[in-house]
Amino acid sequence: MMSIPAALVPLSPVLAMELWTAAVLLLVSLFKRSGSEAGYLAFGCIIFAAIPLMKLIQDNVTVTLFSGAMIVDRFALIFWMLFLATAGLTVLTSIPLVEKDGQGLGEYHVLVMCATIGMMLMSASENLLTLFLGLEILSISLYVLAGFTRDHEKSVESSLKYFLLGAFATSFLLYGIALIYGVTRSVDLRGVTRAFALPPDMPIDSRAMLGMGLILIGLAFKLGAAPFHFWIPDVYQGAPAPVAGFMAAGTKAAALAMVLRIFTVGFQGPQAQASWVAMLTVLAIATMTAGNVVALAQTNIKRMLAYSSVAHAGYLLVGVVVTSSVADRAEALSAILYYLAGYTFMNLGAFAIASLLGKDGGEGEEAFSLYSYSGLARRRPVIAAMMAIFMLSLTGIPPMAGFLGKFFLFRAAVDGKFYLLAVMGLLNSVIGACYYLRVIVNMYMKEPNTTTPGPPLTAAEGVSLGVSAIATILLGILPVWFLNLTRSLL
């Protein structure tokens, strides 16, 4: 009788999230206005799920479940930690917004938790069908969250665009899975390897190569890689700012976990690896360049951060490419995870400030205009200082986490002899500095265009911003503890 619960212990963080999500949904159904109550209960749920996660990390478990469909290993545990941090900060930032724009609809927090469950399933799956299941749980939740402020026209428009384009990208992914299954008669990643791990003189089945390409297209859409990134600026602009931050940090991390699982476990073999390394190299360069260049022309803070997230997807793809040839793969993965950790906090912080300053202006252009940040340091010096921290980190200026994140990634690229990727990454970082520093110039060197101090900072928003700012600085000043953690686990 005890063997069944013991077998499910490695899934205790996911099970805790599922049970508490049901509890929050029950609360929402009992109270007509339960935005803040549901928000604080959701945050408590995330803390509750983090307790068994810390125990699993301490025990350094590696357990295969459901006949190999899922694996709770070191890789999954680190991503779970990032997902819970992302969800917790998003919930705290969203509590005032849900009360104002959502009319107290606690379903918002239920959707955030469901999306987090989907991300956790994606990172722990070694089966194409369970990966797809996790992806759909995440996607459906985000389709609704993007249009949650349904009184705003752009919010509804962003939700519809995301749904239509997301369904289109999903068809590529499913067709790719079908082709792979047709060749290998398996949807397990280790079974899929049989179609690709062939001697160099044996050709790979063309259906398998086509399936790999279609799967890459579906994953590139979720990751926001060029040229499959066109949905991102419109969706981020129309979605509530905390949702945009959640999508930029959480969805990107989940998609990256899915890419790493599929390409480093399933699509192995010299010929297959050479093919996807070439494709991802082109995607990384195109994504970095497109995101940074177009961001230069943006005057809306959410659109600017949206194109910024596209550029950072390109940087992360550099890390994925490097894992193919670095002798110590753990070092390359450690660099990716460090970059993701720093990016998560600085990105969530930037979107949280955009949400705070846009409260009184609705979802129009003026509420999120870069020019509305003029003189912010005189009106709200603490908020301006935090925004400066996030912008400097996104730029890659020491001692912020963004500097070391890029340093570790580009050093790994040089060690792996991907010199073109390293050079393009450095050049794009210089381009990115132009639009990140423009925000700081507006805050500190321009005259304020209004005398009103702006909306007050709530306790939940203060905690979220404080944690994001402190984590961004600490990861840059004291990176050793996180790197040691990832290296010891990986």
Side-chain angles (χ1 to χ4, degrees):
M1 295 294 292
M2 296 299 293
S3 61
I4 296 178
L8 294 178
V9 166
L11 284 178
S12 53
V14 180
L15 295 176
M17 286 290 291
E18 292 172 350
L19 291 173
W20 279 91
T21 299
V24 176
L25 186 60
L26 180 62
L27 172 69
V28 170
S29 66
L30 294 177
F31 295 93
K32 293 182 179 179
R33 293 185 59 83
S34 55
S36 59
E37 296 91 338
Y40 289 116
L41 183 59
F43 182 73
C45 152
I46 294 166
I47 298 297
F48 183 78
I51 295 173
L53 175 59
M54 293 299 106
K55 182 66 168 62
L56 293 174
I57 291 176
Q58 182 181 358
D59 295 341
N60 205 359
V61 300
T62 300
V63 180
T64 301
L65 302 167
F66 310 121
S67 301
M70 293 189 66
I71 177 170
V72 179
D73 58 359
R74 303 155 180 83
F75 179 87
L77 293 176
I78 297 175
F79 272 97
W80 286 4
M81 183 170 60
L82 291 176
F83 297 152
L84 291 181
T86 302
L89 294 176
T90 300
V91 166
L92 286 178
T93 305
S94 302
I95 290 174
L97 178 137
V98 174
E99 283 295 317
K100 177 180 180 294
D101 287 335
Q103 292 81 44
L105 296 177
E107 292 89 345
Y108 176 99
H109 303 291
V110 175
L111 290 168
V112 170
M113 294 165 70
C114 287
T116 306
I117 293 169
M119 292 189 289
M120 296 173 79
L121 291 177
M122 288 169 64
S123 62
S125 297
E126 283 205 346
N127 179 290
L128 290 173
L129 291 184
T130 53
L131 280 166
F132 177 75
L133 177 63
L135 177 63
E136 286 305 289
I137 294 173
L138 168 65
S139 299
I140 292 172
S141 301
L142 291 178
Y143 296 153
V144 182
L145 283 171
F148 198 79
T149 51
R150 53 181 180 263
D151 292 337
H152 300 290
E153 182 180 346
K154 281 191 174 294
S155 183
V156 177
E157 179 185 343
S158 73
S159 179
L160 183 60
K161 285 182 178 179
Y162 190 26
F163 170 71
L164 294 176
L165 292 174
F168 186 64
T170 298
S171 65
F172 282 92
L173 183 64
L174 276 177
Y175 193 29
I177 292 174
L179 285 174
I180 294 293
Y181 176 75
V183 174
T184 65
R185 292 295 186 269
S186 175
V187 289
D188 290 326
L189 292 181
R190 300 191 184 278
V192 167
T193 306
R194 292 195 301 267
F196 297 97
L198 300 175
D201 57 339
M202 290 185 62
I204 298 176
D205 193 306
S206 58
R207 294 170 298 172
M209 294 300 292
L210 178 59
M212 181 175 71
L214 292 174
I215 288 175
L216 177 59
I217 291 175
L219 295 177
F221 174 86
K222 291 299 178 185
L223 192 60
F228 311 103
H229 68 289
F230 292 105
W231 61 275
I232 286 183
D234 289 339
V235 173
Y236 283 23
Q237 183 181 6
V243 173
F246 181 72
M247 293 169 66
T251 306
K252 206 168 297 298
L256 184 71
M258 200 169 175
V259 169
L260 288 169
R261 282 284 190 198
I262 292 177
F263 284 88
T264 62
V265 176
F267 299 153
Q268 287 299 294
Q271 299 176 72
Q273 192 174 79
S275 297
W276 64 255
V277 164
M279 290 187 289
L280 290 182
T281 298
V282 174
L283 278 182
I285 294 173
T287 303
M288 286 187 288
T289 306
N292 282 313
V293 171
V294 181
L296 289 171
Q298 304 306 312
T299 58
N300 180 289
I301 188 70
K302 289 205 289 186
R303 290 186 71 88
M304 188 202 80
L305 291 173
Y307 281 109
S308 164
S309 75
V310 173
H312 285 277
Y315 300 141
L316 289 168
L317 284 175
V318 172
V320 177
V321 173
V322 171
T323 59
S324 66
S325 66
V326 172
D328 188 358
R329 181 172 288 179
E331 291 293 325
L333 289 174
S334 180
I336 294 173
L337 291 168
Y338 179 87
Y339 189 95
L340 265 180
Y343 175 74
T344 294
F345 289 109
M346 56 192 174
N347 195 70
L348 287 174
F351 274 105
I353 290 179
S355 175
L356 171 67
L357 299 181
K359 270 188 205 175
D360 288 348
E363 295 291 316
E365 286 292 322
E366 294 183 2
F368 296 98
S369 170
L370 282 175
Y371 304 112
S372 66
Y373 287 72
S374 299
L376 183 64
R378 300 183 188 180
R379 295 184 286 119
R380 309 195 70 176
V382 175
I383 299 298
M386 288 186 177
M387 191 61 163
I389 289 172
F390 302 135
M391 292 296 105
L392 291 173
S393 186
L394 287 166
T395 304
I397 294 178
M400 308 304 174
F403 167 74
L404 285 179
K406 290 181 179 178
F407 172 77
F408 292 140
L409 274 182
F410 298 155
R411 185 183 66 177
V414 172
D415 291 342
K417 298 184 179 180
F418 292 97
Y419 302 118
L420 177 61
L421 285 176
V423 171
M424 291 302 298
L426 289 171
L427 291 177
N428 274 282
S429 296
V430 174
I431 297 174
C434 298
Y435 59 86
Y436 290 130
L437 297 180
R438 184 172 59 180
V439 179
I440 299 178
V441 168
N442 277 332
M443 292 191 300
Y444 285 91
M445 300 181 186
K446 298 289 182 70
E447 292 295 326
N449 50 21
T450 179
T451 57
T452 57
L457 185 68
T458 66
E461 289 172 323
V463 171
S464 177
L465 284 173
V467 170
S468 298
I470 292 172
T472 300
I473 296 173
L474 285 182
L475 280 171
I477 297 176
L478 302 171
V480 176
W481 69 271
F482 187 84
L483 290 172
N484 288 341
L485 172 65
T486 56
R487 287 167 182 165
S488 65
L489 291 174
L490 294 170

